[in-house]
Amino acid sequence: MIQPVIEKIILGIDPGTTIMGYGVLRVKGTKPEMIAMGIIDLRKFGNHYLKLRHIHERVLSIIESYLPDELAIEAPFFGKNVQSMLKLGRAQGVAMAVALSRDIPITEYAPLKIKMAITGNGQASKEQVADMLQRMLHFSKDDMPTFMDATDGLAAAYCHFLQLGRPTLEKGYSGWKDFISKNPDRVK
């Protein structure tokens, strides 16, 4: 069960080196509401380092505009092209560093987990994810972005919203003997 909050702003980011998507959710009680989604267009920058600087500037601007309490970011998945993977990791790292500079906690989610949380299918297409978000968050088809990277960023934020109130395991156990030795009061 999702634990109610007075108000929480969640920024979701879908990292990219050509188009980076973002979405911002406001959660009041247990009700999420989309307050923004968009893209950071990096196509005009030929130099990768200039792209990184632009990511830094734009993510900082988004954070200053919406004052998120938490950042949910899609984790890069392993691809065949090592150079692309490296560049994507740098882009993600810059976005994370900006959040960290503002003391915003970060949670990474695998693409499969995000798609599964939104659609129930880890292999869902970007269009299926966007359509499901549009239905769940009740925004009009007119508000649907041209680039699905924006809805992918929103999907990361929504996936994080769905995790609110879920218990996290504070301490790990290597087996039943380890559990019993660390919790003798719970065993009869």
Side-chain angles (χ1 to χ4, degrees):
M1 185 170 125
I2 295 170
Q3 295 299 312
V5 293
I6 294 171
E7 183 173 284
K8 181 178 282 202
I9 305 292
I10 303 168
L11 170 61
I13 292 182
D14 175 36
T17 56
T18 306
I19 303 286
M20 181 176 275
Y22 69 90
V24 183
L25 275 184
R26 175 186 293 124
V27 180
K28 285 186 177 180
T30 58
K31 186 179 183 313
E33 169 194 12
M34 184 214 29
I35 55 175
M37 78 173 139
I39 60 162
I40 300 170
D41 191 344
L42 303 162
R43 294 174 296 177
K44 64 184 173 198
F45 300 98
N47 181 311
H48 182 65
Y49 302 110
L50 293 177
K51 288 182 179 189
L52 296 176
R53 182 176 75 187
H54 190 66
I55 290 168
H56 182 277
E57 291 167 352
R58 288 289 292 122
V59 171
L60 182 59
S61 172
I62 292 163
I63 286 172
E64 289 174 345
S65 295
Y66 297 103
L67 304 172
D69 299 294
E70 298 178 17
L71 170 67
I73 192 163
E74 187 174 302
F77 57 92
F78 182 73
K80 292 178 184 170
N81 186 330
V82 176
Q83 279 300 320
S84 294
M85 186 70 187
L86 178 63
K87 288 179 179 178
L88 185 60
R90 288 176 178 166
Q92 183 200 34
V94 168
M96 293 168 81
V98 174
L100 290 170
S101 75
R102 296 295 188 260
D103 295 321
I104 298 169
I106 300 166
T107 306
E108 287 184 76
Y109 294 99
L112 185 116
K113 179 164 178 105
I114 293 171
K115 290 175 182 181
M116 191 69 153
I118 305 303
T119 68
N121 175 6
Q123 304 303 315
S125 68
K126 287 179 173 280
E127 291 77 15
Q128 289 170 314
V129 170
D131 184 58
M132 200 63 160
L133 284 169
Q134 191 253 330
R135 292 176 198 210
M136 291 187 295
L137 293 170
H138 312 290
F139 57 88
S140 75
K141 291 269 189 207
D142 295 338
D143 291 334
M144 197 62 81
T146 304
F147 293 95
M148 295 290 123
D149 306 82
T151 49
D152 285 352
L154 186 61
Y158 197 87
C159 176
H160 189 66
F161 156 71
L162 292 173
Q163 304 307 307
L164 294 178
R166 295 224 172 163
T168 55
L169 191 59
E170 302 256 339
K171 49 187 171 181
Y173 305 105
S174 61
W176 281 110
K177 283 185 181 178
D178 188 32
F179 176 84
I180 292 167
S181 69
K182 291 179 180 172
N183 298 281
D185 56 313
R186 296 180 67 185
V187 181
K188 292 182 182 183

